[in-house]
């Protein structure tokens, strides 16, 4: 059995994985603006409770996997850089923690890479050797596998910065330091800014939403609200551009779409598929576009497959 932990912005997801199946799960609130390290003792407790509930113990476990946002040095199990939240975890020695808390070996990986590995090992892209994943959550995370090898690069940042490819050179300031990044234009955290910039914002149903999500904009657009229609059209162009950029950069056969936005996949994906088909340069044929079944599960399963490889 393998212990897996996914440090998300809202929840810390914990899973026990056995033979590629999740046999136990638990969620803790992340309080990520308070940091990651302060949460580790609660995580440790929760894992021990979860194991007990399963009638298992640490001695049944062979390893531990942790996924976090940001740039991760997989070889040394250290976070190199992370945007804003969880910044206390940069440089923290997770290996020492895992050894002291559980006496287990561990792996640390970027969350989008873990999600991609989960989809390749057990999910919608099982067995694919050339694929990219884009996950539309608070930010927009990406990951890449080429020739069957996960792309990490010299400084651990290759493949995961697709959310920070520029889609508007005159665009919004991003938390990474760049201007007009895909996620600064069309990520969840940037939505309210895009909506409020619209000239007729105050006539829109969206002016009454206290916290804006992807679904609010899609619903407003479907009801014919002009701000919703215009903002959604812009979002679809940025998302398509983001996918085309990933295709032009990494030559995949399959694009995997994941994250909260995919709750509206029936509506969104056919539009994205058509725009990407028209705009991408792939003379060999059309890139397949598939939707992840359960993004949370794919991160946990991906971590388990990494632990097994180690
Ligand atoms: Zn950026």
């Amino acid at each position: 059995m393998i212990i897996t932990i996914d440090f998300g912005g809202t929840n810390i997801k914990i899973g026990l994985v056995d033979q590629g199946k999740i046999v136990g799960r638990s969620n803790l609130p992340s309080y990520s603006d308070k940091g990651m390290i302060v949460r580790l003792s609660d995580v440790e407790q929760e894992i021990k409770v979860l194991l007990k509930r399963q009638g298992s113990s640490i001695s049944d476990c062979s390893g531990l996997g942790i996924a976090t946002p940001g740039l991760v040095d997989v070889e040394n199990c250290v976070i190199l850089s992370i945007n804003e939240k969880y910044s206390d975890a940069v440089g923290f020695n997770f290996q020492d923690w895992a050894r002291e808390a559980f006496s287990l070996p561990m792996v640390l990986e970027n969350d989008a890479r873990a999600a991609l590995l989960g989809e390749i090992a057990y999910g919608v892209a099982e067995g694919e050797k050339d694929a990219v994943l884009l996950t539309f959550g608070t930010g927009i995370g990406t990951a890449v596998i080429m020739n069957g090898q996960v792309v990490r690069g010299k400084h651990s940042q290759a493949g995961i910065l697709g959310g920070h490819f520029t889609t508007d050179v005159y665009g919004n300031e991003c938390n990474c330091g760049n201007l007009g990044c895909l996620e600064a234009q069309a990520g969840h955290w940037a939505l309210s800014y895009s909506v409020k910039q619209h000239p007729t914002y105050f006539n829109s149903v969206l002016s009454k939403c206290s916290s804006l999500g992807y679904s609010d904009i899609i619903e407003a657009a479907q009801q014919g609200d002009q701000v919703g229609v215009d903002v959604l059209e812009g979002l679809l162009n940025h998302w398509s551009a983001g996918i085309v950029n990933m295709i032009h950069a990494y030559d995949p056969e399959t694009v995997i779409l994941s994250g909260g936005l995919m709750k509206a996949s029936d509506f969104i994906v056919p539009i994205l598929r058509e725009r990407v088909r028209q705009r991408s340069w792939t003379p060999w044929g059309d890139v397949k576009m598939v939707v992840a079944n359960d993004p949370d599960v794919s991160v946990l399963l991906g971590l388990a497959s990494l632990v097994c490889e180690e």
Side-chain angles (χ1 to χ4, degrees), residues 83 163-165 174-179 181-184 189:
N83 270 337
H164 300 275
F165 285 178
C174 184
N175 52 27
C176 74
N178 192 13
L179 290 177
C181 292
L182 171 62
E183 76 164 54
W189 62 263

Side-chain angles (χ1 to χ4, degrees), residues 68-86:
T68 76
L71 309 184
V72 171
D73 175 351
V74 175
E75 229 159 85
N76 298 303
C77 289
V78 171
I79 297 174
L80 300 170
S81 179
I82 195 164
N83 270 337
E84 291 171 356
K85 291 172 172 183
Y86 286 146

Side-chain angles (χ1 to χ4, degrees), residues 124-273:
V124 287
E126 202 175 333
E128 290 278 354
K129 290 191 159 50
D130 295 276
V132 300
L133 173 136
L134 294 94
T135 177
F136 297 84
T138 311
I140 297 176
T142 66
V144 178
I145 187 165
M146 290 173 86
N147 297 320
Q149 298 285 322
V150 175
V151 175
R152 293 197 176 93
K154 181 169 171 64
H155 306 102
S156 305
Q157 59 187 79
I160 60 172
L161 295 185
H164 300 275
F165 285 178
T166 305
T167 56
D168 181 355
V169 291
Y170 304 106
N172 305 328
E173 212 170 286
C174 184
N175 52 27
C176 74
N178 192 13
L179 290 177
C181 292
L182 171 62
E183 76 164 54
Q185 300 304 126
H188 192 279
W189 62 263
L191 293 180
S192 72
Y193 186 73
S194 308
V195 168
K196 283 177 185 163
Q197 278 183 316
H198 195 284
T200 64
Y201 167 67
F202 288 104
N203 300 329
S204 165
V205 291
L206 293 169
S207 66
K208 288 160 194 90
C209 291
S210 54
S211 65
L212 267 180
Y214 293 125
S215 58
D216 298 310
I217 293 168
I218 293 166
E219 271 168 39
Q222 286 172 332
Q223 287 161 17
D225 180 273
Q226 197 54 48
V227 177
V229 169
D230 293 347
V231 170
L232 180 61
E233 176 60 18
L235 291 172
L236 286 162
N237 279 331
H238 283 287
W239 295 331
S240 307
I243 296 168
V244 170
N245 287 342
M246 291 298 287
I247 292 171
H248 289 176
Y250 298 110
D251 189 15
E253 298 229 284
T254 302
V255 173
I256 307 158
L257 302 178
S258 184
L261 175 63
M262 289 303 120
K263 288 187 186 123
S265 61
D266 289 351
F267 174 65
I268 296 287
V269 173
I271 303 171
L272 292 179
R273 195 176 273 133

